[in-house]
């Protein structure tokens, strides 16, 4: 785990803790201490997990191509253009989509 990703996870769980604390404080007056602790804990766990998922998991780059696959894709594209096969640009780039 890189230092940046570890810092991101710490910040995400810190914001989850703040969310749980605010939830507990808001619920305390109407439902009591036990409910406030329970709901605050649930809010902490859910918010922390959502923040990690939303802001930090993208840093893993799990869905990126590995370097070897990227090189094979580039080589295949170069072979296609060298063989005379034309790779068509997207329709939006040519303006002929209508």
């Amino acid at each position: 785990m890189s230092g940046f990703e570890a810092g991101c996870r710490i910040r995400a769980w810190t914001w989850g803790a703040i969310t749980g604390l605010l939830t507990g404080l808001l619920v305390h007056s109407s439902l009591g201490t036990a409910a406030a602790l329970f709901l605050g804990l649930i809010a902490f766990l859910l918010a922390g997990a959502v923040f990690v998922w939303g802001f930090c998991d993208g840093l893993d780059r799990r869905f990126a191509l590995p370097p070897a696959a990227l090189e094979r894709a580039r080589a295949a594209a170069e072979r296609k253009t060298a063989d005379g096969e034309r790779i068509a640009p997207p329709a939006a780039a040519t303006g002929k989509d209508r």
Side-chain angles (χ1 to χ4, degrees):
M1 184 183 312
S2 68
F4 179 74
E5 185 177 348
C8 179
R9 289 177 182 269
I10 290 170
R11 283 190 305 273
W13 284 109
T14 301
W15 281 105
I18 292 170
T19 303
L21 182 64
L22 287 175
T23 302
L25 289 175
L26 291 173
V27 170
H28 183 271
S29 63
S30 62
L31 297 178
T33 304
L37 288 173
F38 178 73
L39 292 174
L41 178 65
I42 296 298
F44 162 67
L45 293 174
L46 287 176
V50 167
F51 291 151
V52 168
W53 171 73
F55 296 111
C56 303
D57 277 349
L59 300 175
D60 291 344
R61 301 184 190 271
R62 287 183 230 172
F63 300 110
L65 288 175
L70 189 58
E71 288 302 319
R72 286 193 305 266
R74 283 187 187 143
E78 288 173 5
R79 279 194 307 273
K80 283 185 179 180
T81 56
D83 291 342
E85 293 181 32
R86 183 183 153 123
I87 300 174
T94 61
K96 296 181 181 178
D97 57 342
R98 296 180 189 191

